[in-house]
Amino acid sequence: MLKTLYPLLLPIEGVVEETKDIKTFRLPRPESFLYRPGQFAEVFVPGAGEAPFSISSSPTDMEYLEFSVKRLGAVTSALHRLGPGDFIGIRGPYGNGFPLEHFSGSHLLFVGGGIGLAPLRSLIRYVLHPSHRSSFGEVFILYGARTPRDLVFRRDLDALQERRDLTLCVTVDEGDASWEGQVGLVPRVLQDIFTFPPSGWKSIVCGPPIMIKFTIKALVEMGFVPGDIITTLEMKMKCGLGKCGRCNIGPYYVCKDGPVFSYEELLRMPEEY
Amino acid sequence: MLSFDRGMVVSWEAFVRWLGHVRPFVTPLVRERLRVIPRDVLTPVTFKTLLFPPREHLYHYSFRERRWELCLEESSPEPAFLLLAPCEARALLDVLDRVFLEEPPTDAYYRRRRERLTFAVVGCTFFETTCFCTRVGGHPLLHRAEDLFLLPLSSGIYLEGFERKVIEGRPLALQDREETERIAASLESQAPSPFPSSLPEKLYGEFESREWESIAWPCLNCGACTFFCPTCFCFDLAVDGKLRGTMVRTWDSCMFPKFTLHASSHNPRGRKEQRVRQRVLHKFSYFPLRMGAFGCVGCGRCLKVCPVGWSIQEAVERMMCCAQDSLPASSPY
Amino acid sequence: MYETEIRHLSGELLESGDVEGIVGYAPGPLPLSAQPFLFRTSSELQNLIFNSFCGMNLARYLVALPKSAGRVAIVAKGCDARAITVLLKERQVEREKLFIIGVPCLGMLDRKRLSARFGELREGDIEFRGEKLIVRGEPVALLEFLDWTCARCRYPRPPLFDVLVGEGTREPLTGGTDGLLRLWELSAEKRWEFFSLELSRCIRCYACRNACPMCYCRECFVELQRPLFAHPAPSLKDNLVFHLGRAMHLGGRCVECGACERACPLGIPVALLTCALSEVVREHFAFEAGVSLEAEPPLLVYREDDPDAFIR
């Protein structure tokens, strides 16, 4: 019982350099670690501190856990200096995760921006897994980043392009010489390419706060009802379990009542996030 | 609650002897109320220090022989007996216990200390200018039937729930009874009236009000109010040491500008009025809506320690006035 | 004590549109206490006060005013005006945006010490008859209840102002509560012991820092993670880093107003540290912060003829 805030040490098995400042860390998955897509864990970097990260692997990935981390501050910089064989601590899983029951039987529109694809990836891998695929309808994925160099999960994106049971569109705000794909901001591209009537669809959005705001606006204009727009929020967190009082939006704790919220819930909250 | 026949009256000398024998902790409030308390009786800065210290070691880490090792902080706190005021007892039972013990997961560090803590409630015979416990559901004589209870009288100190073998006393004389009645009546007549039960919703509806800016203006955004508040429990987790060190839990305050600062530099409460609004709404709106009790016990300590004399009671009253004039309250639920 | 004059002048300034607001004191929620206030209307000005409990240094609020704010007037005692001068030298405020209402000051009373002796104070308990302090009708020793920084203050008359509302000041009072004098008599080891004992009580609420007009850094050194100067949790080692570091950052800048010590909820004598350093600066650089708009602060200016006496 004393172990509430106590991490479990695990060795880093592999590191993928997604972009110049984003790395994905792969750890062996403890048998007792059961989680849902959209949940997060507090990662302890010994000597540097703790930080919360979404779990970007899916529970269907039995052997490993993955976290995708952008290098921004003290803890993430220390983490980026580590490699295979180095140990870090995990405690969790925390958070509410995505409402899978609500998605069951629906078509799913994923809209991701930048590192925001990380929690979505967990859900995408879950949905596309053979044991679950038939529980969901069509899958449409729109993913964007600032430049081609900022796109994450390139290998996953390439694999997704090959599949016939989903539609994938990747866009960048600014292209470069080698980029031949879509160019444009995610909310605008969304309105151009998603021409289906929204009934039967649920949308899951994640990205920088400003992108979430404009994407939700676009979705509402396209006819999505607030209850069918799901997003996952980021907040400064410390304990991850609803006690330290830091991550609240009004009476809701993002670490406990979230980080996944529907737009309908967001509308009841004060605009302070 | 206000019947005084279960107890006995003890002379001040016997009480002081008993203090020397039992060696309790005494909160600053109680020390002010009972001037007989000897100087060597320990007074924590605030009672919550005993349960939720400003520096709590959670676990230790060290890098030895090319491996990281973690070990829990196993030391047990000493058992403690505490004399505290009714408002502080409410803070303990209705807020801190609720957050750290009842809401899952139970905080094991708090629980370890809580299990070793016994307390007695020392009732108040008067309201200070800073007191407003009755506005938030408290009362200067409030205690549970099972609590040890004390009340200072002219002829000695009234004790309830204490065993005879622990301390000797005599039954209440007629003058003692009359005094308790006078005290109760005087408290009733002076008791500040309770806030309306619709206060949490009303305040929630005032989130966008422009009044917050002028309410917040004098605030220095230091942590004095938070650290002395018996109900405040916000904390930080910070490592102390590089290759060898400790994960430390320490007091934090929503008043500090960096409290909600993201690594990306985004700060949802980057402006002072947002932080001040958060403090007021958390105590009088969010916490009651979520947990069913105010996050404030009306003890007035925040006002006493505030360098600029900012009053949370005044802030609530100002916002209530605004709420009268505006649209019906909204609710997050 | 000049309250009427300040109110009158403030009213004129507001009405003429010369200023958008007046930074001054309003009555606090406790009897005989004051709260900093930004007066914007004539009706609000009815509440403007100035008494012996106006210890908060109002210059602290100047840096926080938004850039878009217009001209403001500020009620300034000697120490407040010194603080404004330092802010001007450090280019944190613009002179054209300020109207300084200079108020000569007889010193601020220590509320905690008064309450400890006389119990809860009520309106009308405190009176000044000339230079005598009367509490509930009885004369008491002023020196015993003045804040020690006020007792030794040598600049009760604001060195900078647009209008000075009066001329009444007094000489510094010596002896009694001047802990600084006693401090200098101690050996270095004893001083270290004294400060270690006091600073071990600190709970890092930062009331001292936030009350100080000179501490206007957006990000205080003690809040940094890289590098980590002090761990956020209170402990002697980290508290020493904070307080000694802050004192050093105030070297040659502290105006000895005592707002830090007044703000401390635990009564830790933090002003002893900063005022002691001010004395050192006075001795070695013949400089006092905020006393003259022309004098160059020694730590902000490079002089070719600097004796560099500290280099051995």
Side-chain angles (χ1 to χ4, degrees), chain B residues 61 64 115 195 200 223 256 262 299 307:
Chain B
Y61 50 86
R64 254 201 289 231
E115 282 167 351
F195 285 127
F256 294 150
H262 294 208
C299 71

Side-chain angles (χ1 to χ4, degrees), chain B residues 45 54-55 129-130 217-218 220-224 227-228 238-240 248 250 256 258 303 305 307-311 314, chain C residues 23 29-30 35-38 56 60-61 120 203-207 210-211 219 223 231-235 237-238 263 265-266:
Chain B
V45 150
R55 195 186 170 94
T129 3
T130 43
W217 193 84
L220 298 180
N221 267 174
C222 65
F227 289 179
F228 284 84
V239 293
D240 192 3
V248 177
T250 181
F256 294 150
K258 288 179 102 173
L303 176 52
V305 299
V308 297
W310 191 87
S311 164
E314 267 186 21
Chain C
V23 177
L30 297 178
Q35 192 184 87
F37 197 89
L38 178 62
M56 189 59 217
R60 185 250 176 243
Y61 291 96
E120 239 193 315
I203 52 173
R204 305 278 287 285
C205 68
Y206 304 120
N210 289 21
E219 198 171 11
E223 288 167 350
H231 191 269
S235 75
K237 65 170 169 53
D238 300 298
L266 291 170

Side-chain angles (χ1 to χ4, degrees), chain C residues 251-288:
Chain C
R253 305 171 65 232
C254 168
V255 297
E256 301 163 282
C257 66
C260 50
E261 194 165 308
R262 244 174 246 123
C264 178
L266 291 170
I268 297 171
V270 284
L272 273 179
L273 202 47
T274 47
C275 289
L277 264 172
S278 300
E279 288 210 355
V280 170
V281 170
R282 207 166 9 243
E283 188 188 317
H284 288 277
F285 299 97
F287 176 81
E288 286 182 306

Side-chain angles (χ1 to χ4, degrees), chain B residues 6 22 42 54 135 216 219 237 273 309:
Chain B
R6 293 202 292 130
V22 162
L42 290 173
R135 307 206 74 181
C219 174
L237 298 171
E273 57 270 15

Side-chain angles (χ1 to χ4, degrees), chain B residues 152-163:
Chain B
L153 300 174
S154 327
S155 65
I157 186 160
Y158 171 78
L159 264 57
E160 204 176 87
F162 285 77
E163 290 172 15

Side-chain angles (χ1 to χ4, degrees), chain C residues 1-277:
Chain C
M1 234 218 293
Y2 306 122
E3 198 173 277
T4 344
E5 288 91 328
I6 301 170
R7 228 183 264 158
H8 186 70
L9 177 57
S10 306
E12 282 178 354
L13 289 166
L14 260 187
E15 264 181 51
S16 67
D18 202 7
V19 300
E20 272 182 14
I22 291 99
V23 177
Y25 301 96
L30 297 178
L32 299 175
S33 69
Q35 192 184 87
F37 197 89
L38 178 62
F39 300 91
R40 281 199 239 243
T41 66
S42 324
S43 60
E44 282 175 349
L45 276 179
Q46 312 271 8
N47 288 330
L48 186 147
I49 59 163
F50 188 81
N51 60 32
S52 330
F53 297 98
C54 294
M56 189 59 217
N57 194 319
L58 293 178
R60 185 250 176 243
Y61 291 96
L62 291 179
V63 181
L65 290 173
K67 293 267 184 292
S68 55
R71 207 153 175 254
V72 289
I74 176 166
V75 173
K77 318 186 286 291
C79 48
D80 302 331
R82 281 178 69 182
I84 295 172
T85 309
V86 177
L87 290 175
L88 287 168
K89 293 297 290 182
E90 294 179 357
R91 298 190 223 257
Q92 293 301 312
V93 291
E94 289 167 40
R95 185 66 183 92
E96 311 76 57
K97 286 195 135 185
L98 290 179
F99 187 97
I100 305 172
I101 303 175
V103 184
C105 176
L106 289 175
M108 296 296 134
L109 295 176
D110 188 330
R111 202 154 189 286
K112 289 175 193 144
R113 236 181 281 152
L114 278 166
S115 310
R117 172 76 73 79
F118 299 105
E120 239 193 315
L121 299 170
R122 302 261 132 98
E123 291 295 340
D125 278 353
I126 308 276
E127 222 192 298
F128 274 99
R129 280 185 215 145
E131 282 193 18
K132 287 200 180 304
L133 174 64
I134 317 284
V135 182
R136 296 199 187 122
E138 295 299 318
V140 297
L142 179 63
L143 192 58
E144 205 184 326
F145 296 101
L146 266 185
D147 282 331
W148 72 269
T149 44
C150 298
R152 69 194 283 276
C153 170
R154 287 160 44 247
Y155 295 98
R157 185 179 189 275
L160 181 70
F161 53 82
D162 285 296
V163 166
L164 188 66
V165 295
E167 284 295 340
T169 61
R170 58 156 172 76
E171 292 301 307
L173 306 171
T174 52
T177 54
D178 194 343
L180 200 48
L181 289 176
R182 283 202 297 273
L183 206 62
W184 288 125
E185 285 164 14
L186 295 175
S187 66
E189 290 83 30
K190 286 287 175 199
R191 287 205 288 266
W192 182 258
E193 250 179 61
F194 171 77
F195 279 113
S196 296
L197 188 64
E198 292 289 348
L199 295 178
S200 63
R201 297 196 293 126
C202 170
I203 52 173
R204 305 278 287 285
C205 68
Y206 304 120
C208 53
R209 177 195 72 186
N210 289 21
C212 177
M214 269 48 264
C215 278
Y216 52 73
C217 288
R218 291 260 157 85
E219 198 171 11
C220 178
F221 79 106
V222 90
E223 288 167 350
L224 294 173
Q225 279 215 288
R226 294 186 289 176
L228 186 73
F229 285 99
H231 191 269
S235 75
L236 181 58
K237 65 170 169 53
D238 300 298
N239 294 356
L240 281 170
V241 170
F242 168 59
H243 286 282
L244 295 182
R246 189 176 98 88
M248 295 299 277
H249 293 171
L250 289 172
R253 305 171 65 232
C254 168
V255 297
E256 301 163 282
C257 66
C260 50
E261 194 165 308
R262 244 174 246 123
C264 178
L266 291 170
I268 297 171
V270 284
L272 273 179
L273 202 47
T274 47
C275 289
L277 264 172

